Amino acid sequence: MADKIKVMIVDDHDMVRKGLKAYLATEDTIELVGEASSGHQAVRRFEDLHPDVILMDLIMEEGNGIEATQQILAKDPAKKIIILTSFYDDEQVFPAIEAGAMSYLLKTASSEEIIQAIYKAHAGKPVIDGKVAQKLITGLHKTPQPVDQLTTREREVLKLIAEGRSNAEIAKLLFIGIKTVKTHVSSILSKLGVADRTQAAVYAYQNHLFSK
């Protein structure tokens, strides 16, 4: 008998995790080895759980799925990560794929689609939701903009800069150190090609990066 595919679930909603566990329980060749309720917890736990495939949510309060994907694959590039989320905007899709996610599914996917995505990911075959695939195709023909270079965290920092927040306020709101904030600010200024945070804020507003 072939070894079971070991799966880990990462989602901050208890009901979502329970639903996924129910799906996986119907498959004799899939074994749920553990779960995590945040990106930070996933990074801490995956080395002990040794999953083959990780179902990863994106938007979580303590460490988002993109950062967790990057950190997990930096430690173990062989891990297969399936993004399973409700979001498919550009700010999520492209960074998730660039982070190394194998597949990208929406939470509207059926249980059968999720199960098949696990089997395919384990075999090294990606599965991309149709709406997400369309975005990726459109993105190939899109002229790159300076803002496209920003990471998810840098976008968060830029949004707060545009709101007039100080480095200390940004550090407090994002639960990071002031030195880290300064590093992000320097990177943002460099990528946007602007001289200071005021110009960065103006750039954000002129390009309608953040809706009110």
Side-chain angles (χ1 to χ4, degrees), residues 26-176:
T26 65
E27 296 295 311
D28 293 335
T29 54
I30 291 178
E31 176 187 359
L32 177 64
V33 294
E35 56 188 274
S37 59
S38 71
H40 291 162
Q41 190 178 59
V43 174
R44 291 195 302 269
R45 299 201 66 196
F46 93 95
E47 290 181 290
D48 295 325
L49 297 173
H50 303 293
D52 300 308
V53 178
I54 300 172
L55 294 176
M56 179 75 74
D57 189 16
L58 281 183
I59 308 300
M60 295 176 283
E61 290 187 5
E62 297 182 19
N64 66 55
I66 293 170
E67 292 173 345
T69 295
Q70 291 172 328
Q71 292 173 37
I72 288 171
L73 293 177
K75 293 182 178 181
D76 188 346
K79 287 288 176 278
K80 306 297 192 297
I81 297 179
I82 299 173
I83 300 299
L84 185 60
T85 181
S86 302
F87 302 92
Y88 59 98
D89 53 287
D90 290 356
E91 288 74 19
Q92 307 300 332
V93 171
F94 293 104
I97 298 300
E98 289 170 0
M102 168 70 68
S103 301
Y104 199 117
L105 293 180
L106 300 181
K107 287 183 177 176
T108 52
S110 68
S111 59
E112 181 61 26
E113 288 172 328
I114 293 172
I115 295 296
Q116 288 305 310
I118 291 172
Y119 286 127
K120 289 183 178 181
H122 187 249
K125 299 176 181 178
V127 174
I128 306 293
D129 178 271
K131 293 178 181 177
V132 176
Q134 185 59 50
K135 278 194 171 289
L136 292 173
I137 292 170
T138 302
L140 292 175
H141 304 289
K142 181 180 175 183
T143 302
Q145 299 297 318
V147 70
D148 296 332
Q149 302 177 57
L150 300 184
T151 65
T152 300
R153 177 62 87 188
E154 287 169 351
R155 283 175 173 270
E156 292 172 344
V157 172
L158 178 58
K159 183 175 187 296
L160 294 173
I161 289 174
E163 292 174 1
R165 305 280 188 173
S166 67
N167 284 352
E169 290 174 318
I170 293 173
K172 185 176 181 180
L173 288 167
L174 297 182
F175 303 101
I176 56 179

Side-chain angles (χ1 to χ4, degrees), residues 7-8 20 51 59 77 79 96 100 128 137 156 179 187 201-202 212:
V7 176
M8 178 183 180
L20 290 172
I59 308 300
K79 287 288 176 278
I128 306 293
I137 292 170
E156 292 172 344
K179 285 186 178 180
S187 179
V202 171
K212 286 289 188 181

